[in-house]
Every structure is written in structure tokens, then in C-alpha cells.
Amino acid sequence: MTDTEPNKPTSSSSIPQMSEYIHLIVGGTPFLLDPDAVAKFNSSFLSTLLDPQSEFQKPQDGIFTVDADSECFSAFLHMVRYGSIPEPFNDEGKRQLFLDQADFWCIKPRVVEAFTAAK
């Protein structure tokens, strides 16, 4: 094997170290987010939660626990990564839950914009 193989990273500096990942448990489901995903999420709630200067204290184990819907959170991450809202939340039945959770995470305008773009 050589250092010029196409699938082999040339530098470890572009790969986040485990200590740089954000550990969350949302609604009982663990999530491991890289800092770029958190930045793209652009949630004032999440930003405040993770800000060392905020009133929230970082848990000793480094894992933040949030009492919110994990399916919605996962769908928000999908929306951030791929620009679309996953199917189950696109139909009327779950739309209100999705909007309520978007309000909780302080990203409701972004979600409303995504719903509007999907029409």
C-alpha cells in the first residue's frame, strides 16, 4: 500500500478526533455529531447548550441529555445534511409534531422554508 491510494486519507487533521464530537442523547437515543454538523444545524438552542460561556454546565461525562423527540432530531439532521425533509414528516399527520419540535430546537423558520420548498 502506498500513501497515494485514492481511498486513504492523506492527513488526519481533516478527520475530527473523538473528543471533538458532540455527544447527545435525545429522547433516549444517542447521537454523535461532528462540529460541522452542529454548525450546519444552526440551532440557537443547541449552540447555547454547547457554549462553554452559557448557563448550561457541561455534564461530567460530556454527554448532553435532551428531552425531545429523537425521530424529529434525526430528521432535522437529515434535512441539514441533504436539504430535504424525510417522508414520514412530510405528510400532514406528523407535520405538526415536526414543527413543534423545530420550535423547541429554535429552527422553525428553516423548517417552514424547507416545507415551502418541497411543495
Side-chain angles (χ1 to χ4, degrees):
M1 293 183 131
T2 66
D3 287 338
T4 59
E5 291 182 41
N7 293 333
K8 188 175 181 181
T10 56
S11 169
S12 62
S13 64
S14 63
I15 301 170
Q17 301 297 310
M18 280 303 280
S19 62
E20 294 174 343
Y21 281 88
I22 290 83
H23 300 257
L24 292 173
I25 296 176
V26 179
T29 302
F31 290 89
L32 189 62
L33 306 172
D34 69 58
D36 288 340
V38 173
K40 288 178 187 175
F41 200 79
N42 197 24
S43 159
S44 60
F45 173 81
L46 192 55
S47 297
T48 301
L49 180 70
L50 300 173
D51 182 355
Q53 304 301 317
S54 77
E55 61 189 51
F56 294 107
Q57 291 187 350
K58 185 173 183 175
Q60 287 197 337
D61 62 3
I63 301 171
F64 290 91
T65 303
V66 181
D67 185 17
D69 188 285
S70 60
E71 286 185 70
C72 286
F73 186 73
S74 182
F76 294 144
L77 291 175
H78 177 91
M79 183 186 76
V80 165
R81 291 177 178 137
Y82 305 108
S84 63
I85 297 171
E87 269 307 307
F89 296 101
N90 242 342
D91 67 25
E92 258 337 283
K94 286 199 172 188
R95 185 172 293 200
Q96 190 57 50
L97 169 66
F98 201 64
L99 289 171
D100 290 345
Q101 286 291 299
D103 197 32
F104 172 83
W105 289 100
C106 302
I107 60 169
K108 191 170 184 175
R110 186 174 186 182
V111 171
V112 169
E113 182 180 310
F115 275 131
T116 303
K119 288 184 178 182

